[in-house]
Structures are given as C-alpha cells and as structure tokens.
Amino acid sequence: MRRVYMDHNATCPMDERVIEAMIPYFEEKFGNASSLHSFGREARDAVEKAREEVARLLNAEPQEIIFTSGGTESNNLAIKGYCWRNRERGNHIITTKIEHHAVLNPVKQLEKEGFRVTYLPVDKYGRVDLEDLKKAITRETILVSIMMANNEVGTIEPIRELAKISQERGIAFHTDAVQAVGKIKVDVKKLGVDFLSLSGHKIYGPKGIGVLYIKKGRKIEPLITGGHHEKNLRAGTENVPAIVGLGEAAKIARKEWKEESERIKNLRDKLEKGILERIPYVRINGHPQYRLPNTLNVSFEYVEGESIILNLDLEGIAVSSGSACTSGTLEPSHVLMAMGVPAVTAQGSVRFSLGKDNREEDIDYLLEVLPPIIERLRKMSPLYSGK
Ligand SMILES: *Cc1c(COP(=O)(O)O)cnc(C)c1O
C-alpha cells in the first residue's frame, strides 16, 4: 500500500545525510567529549563543530548554544531556570493560551511554587495582540514566553515586536521556536530574544536532542546538576552522535530551508484549495498569511477528527488531530478553543503537516481518498442528518 506521511509537526524522518554523519560516532569515534586523550578530543571537536552549525543557523554565537535532550527540556530550562535564578526580581510570568504543553506545564509548576501567571488570549487566527502584552506587564513581571509558531495551526507570532516590548521594560523574553526553525527565518539577533528553544527531530535530525539559545549575559539556574558539562547548565555526558546529527541537520536547514519551504508551501496550498473545492462545510484554522508554510489545520463539520485520522490511516496516510487524545478522553484542542472555535467544530479538526519527503502525487492521492471518507462519516453522523 502507498504510505504518505503528513505529520511532520509531530516528528520528521531523519535526513539520510544526518544518519551518515552520526554513524562514526556510534562506532569508532565513541569517545567521551570530556576526556583528554585523542578519543575524547575527537568527540569534543565534533560537539563544538555542531555547536557552530547551530549557532550559524540562528545567527547566534557558539557560546550561546546549550545542548539539551530536546525542545521540552529547553523550554523547561529557559522558564524554570530563569525564574528560579531571578526570583528576587519579581514573581510574575506572562505566556499565552496556545503554547505547547512543554511550556504550559513548567509554567503551571511555577504557579504552584507561588509565581503568578498571565495567559494571553489570541485572536481568531491564533495571533497575540501587542497591546494585550503591554497591558499584562506589571512591576513584578520577570519573564515572557511566547511561541514563535504554533504546532497545531501553524500561526506565526510577531516575536520581534513582542520581544521589543519586553526588552524595553527589562523583562526577559523566551520563545519556543521548535516549529519555526527550518521552516521560516529564525535570527536571534533580529528577533531580539533572550532564550530560544529548538528540537532536533523537528528539523530532520535525531530525537532526544535539542538546543536552548541563551543570550550572552543572561543567568539561569540549571535543572540537572552533576559534571561541568555545557557551562554547568546541563550536566551529563554529551550525547555525541545526536549532537553531531543535530549539527548536520542545522547545516542542511541553513542551506536548504528557503527552497524547501517554498516547494512545500505550494503543495500545502494545493491541498488546501483541493479540500475547499471538494468538501463542503470545512473551515481552515490558522492565519491566512502568518502561517507556517507546511501546516494546514482543517475542521470538518459533523465528523470527529479521530475517525478521519483512523480512516486515512487505513489508506496509508498519516495525519493527526488538532486535539490531544489522551487515554480515550477526547478533549477539544486548547489552541482551537483559545481561537474561539466552537468545541464541536474543534472535535472535527485534522492537522496536515507536510515535509521534505512529500511530493505532488501525495497531495493527489489525499485529495482522491479524503472526500469519500468525509462523506461516509457524515452519513453516519446524527449531527449531519438533513443536510
Ligand atoms: C515538538 C514540540 C516541542 C517538544 O519538543 P521535543 O524535542 O519533542 O521535546 C515543544 N514545542 C513545540 C512547539 C513542539 O512542536
């Protein structure tokens, strides 16, 4: 059967070149990057080369790049690390209602510890209003954390402007750029952010590796203590093969992101247009203009997203629902809820997230398979009767 993967916002396949770059570090180049001998130096050189590649991708300095176990840890390190270290300066944090749980839950943890948190609303496209940020800031505010691009609907936030507002008031700014890196331009100097998170497996690198960019001079508390790795900010023997893989993925992203994003956007637009032409009662979620080039989130009225996903899976097509389905309890997506999408509509949402391995034929196949699935499911839906 034909297999089509359209869930790149969940994870990406590794680029072949990334795998090739990693292999020697599983085999003969197995040294500990902290060892003084030639085996150690070989590993250290590879780690520092990867650090330079990531820095180049972000327009950062290599010393500003800290390797972590992924986007989740990077977010935790930025948020908890900064708040714990700067507690005496204030106890207020500002974030948004549409963050990934890797931001929402660390913030919630701080709330339990006595921090006060403001969750900014978004408009119907998922964008944060600059005025809302200005209004939320108090003398107690020490950190603002706003994602660069949303993983469910792809909406891109005005990070440069939001960061400027924070910086002018001496407030640190963190952005979860896990979905943005490799898809749109991410330049830490132009953005003016203090902290930025990225993840290896969302840019065709390995899982279990990520980066936190920490602007020179910003002080944080480590979450994991032990040896003197990563400037005492993240103890533990470096995962050299994964770091090398991430470095290679960063290099490829820097050279190829623009062309690939353009190609993928064309495919995404074709898919969007095709769905709108072929299927009635659909709504596109996300900003028409400020949206990741690979992401299409669609609500199909009168059907459940999970049923669509399972039916597409039977045809070999992998997509995901906007809603997080955990242990059988179907809760509508917090992102779509914040955007004001009615709960029943949100339940019928599906996220198509395209990537480097997708071709025009994949779109044709999806557009052939999807309309009859929706029609069949709607015929079985009590909500749809009479239409
Ligand atoms: C995937 C993702 C994360 C988590 O990254 P991991 O490397 O899987 O821990 C965080 N934020 C966003 C927006 C994501 O899409």
Side-chain angles (χ1 to χ4, degrees), residues 91 158 227 230 337 381:
N91 76 336
E230 299 297 296
M337 291 289 98
S381 165

Side-chain angles (χ1 to χ4, degrees), residues 116-238:
R116 208 169 63 72
V117 182
T118 302
Y119 298 88
L120 297 178
V122 293
D123 66 14
K124 64 178 173 175
Y125 302 118
R127 289 261 287 186
V128 173
D129 189 331
L130 303 181
E131 292 307 313
D132 285 334
L133 174 60
K134 284 183 197 164
K135 276 185 255 162
I137 291 172
T138 72
R139 288 176 57 188
E140 288 291 313
T141 311
I142 59 169
L143 178 70
V144 175
S145 178
I146 300 179
M147 70 197 325
M148 188 159 181
N150 183 269
N151 46 299
E152 288 187 28
V153 296
T155 297
I156 299 166
E157 302 297 339
I159 293 304
R160 195 173 170 170
E161 293 79 4
L162 293 161
K164 188 160 176 276
I165 292 167
S166 307
Q167 308 268 262
E168 282 170 356
R169 292 157 178 81
I171 300 160
F173 193 94
H174 166 251
T175 189
D176 174 348
V178 168
Q179 290 294 345
V181 173
K183 298 185 185 118
I184 58 174
K185 191 170 178 62
V186 179
D187 178 325
V188 291
K189 295 211 170 75
K190 282 205 176 118
L191 291 171
V193 297
D194 299 287
F195 304 102
L196 181 143
S197 307
L198 70 82
S199 169
H201 72 109
K202 305 285 175 82
I203 63 166
Y204 304 91
K207 293 171 182 61
I209 190 76
V211 154
L212 180 64
Y213 157 81
I214 306 178
K215 190 177 175 176
K216 212 185 285 164
R218 292 294 184 186
K219 296 272 182 287
I220 64 167
E221 203 65 38
L223 305 185
I224 298 170
T225 49
H228 299 294
H229 315 86
E230 299 297 296
K231 301 200 295 180
N232 284 327
L233 291 177
R234 207 286 183 175
T237 301
E238 294 89 344

